[in-house]
Amino acid sequence: MSDPKVLVQSLTPSAVQDAYSLIQPYVHRTPLLTNQTLNNIASTPQSPEALNGTPFEGQSPANPKIRFFFKCENFQRIGAFKARGAFHALLRLIEERGQEEVQKRGVITHSSGNHAQALALAASTLSVPAYIIMPSISTPSKIAGTRSHGAEIIFSGSTSVEREAVVEEVQARTGAILVPPYDDFNIICGQGTTALELEKQYKKLVTEKPHLSVHQELPVLDAVITPVGGGGLNAGVATFFSDKTTKVFGAEPSFEGADDCRRGLAAGKRVPAVSTLTIADGLRTPVGLLNWEVISDKNKVAGAFAVTEEQIKAAMRLVLERMKAVVEPSAVVGLAVCLYNEEFRRLVEKEAPNGWDVGIVFSGGNTTVEAIAKLYS
């Protein structure tokens, strides 16, 4: 990779626009949904008991007003936003190196599931061989989905260090070209197209139905929250909104140090490694180097917040039961922040007495009936 501090200067809203023009024929324009019940829950103070054991214990709970706009990438091809970045990265690779060379060498990546399926799909669509390094503990449905697109799967350990070691071994044998899962210019621009669609859909929706917004005049998307694992989605969304007033936040699990982005921002230094078995399996990786250059810029990302495993499960249950939408645990960390993270809720209450319109990116829906049953057994 080129120097991240130099490369980040080319990450602009226009680069995201260019990516969108290229990938439109290959990806879905996913729906933007609202839900009055979840608006009401978010706009009701938590019980005082919910604050026990937190820095806010004994204080009056915050009473923000929040209107949600859910960007449902769980309905994207392969069931996750990752299709955007994978198609963009592979199309650019073919542009740069020529179709003959890419088809001869093939592509390789490492992923717990969603990027794996996305690159397998893109490679199959564009007639390119794909080698996918997957942790042996990956969700069975994600393994099956990856294999269904004709990719060759090679299993590895669960940490990023273990995955990358196997990538090097397979590259040495095959000559395959690496398409990183998140820490890559073209991946970031592709993921940023999620924000481009979200903003267009929000403006159209609130123009047609003004009552959906907290704003009486000139509706504006106040904030967008995305999950943060490797950081490609958050960096892409932040890149698109970098010349706008919309604030971008990251959301993470706190379990076993999975909140490396939040901790890194607090310390002013990127956390280079993560070892966690959070139920949000798509968020078990540290923020990438290039992504960190975007996310650590306070002019682009306003902060990151973490939630517990129980809060993730509670948010997921609400989406399943109230929205009738299938999502995976990683997808709902942003919603969980809005519902249960008292620090974030106090921020909304303080900054906006009239409330915020908040975009929530549901990053994916790749789970199984068995996995959901196990979570709530």
Side-chain angles (χ1 to χ4, degrees), residues 135 142 176 341 345 377:
K142 293 180 179 180
N341 185 291
R345 291 172 59 79
S377 62

Side-chain angles (χ1 to χ4, degrees), residues 206-242:
V206 297
T207 298
E208 295 171 351
K209 300 179 179 180
H211 66 278
L212 293 177
S213 172
V214 298
H215 305 290
Q216 297 303 308
E217 298 178 2
L218 299 174
V220 61
L221 195 57
D222 298 284
V224 174
I225 307 180
T226 84
V228 177
L233 175 62
N234 194 255
V237 168
T239 294
F240 176 76
F241 284 116
S242 61

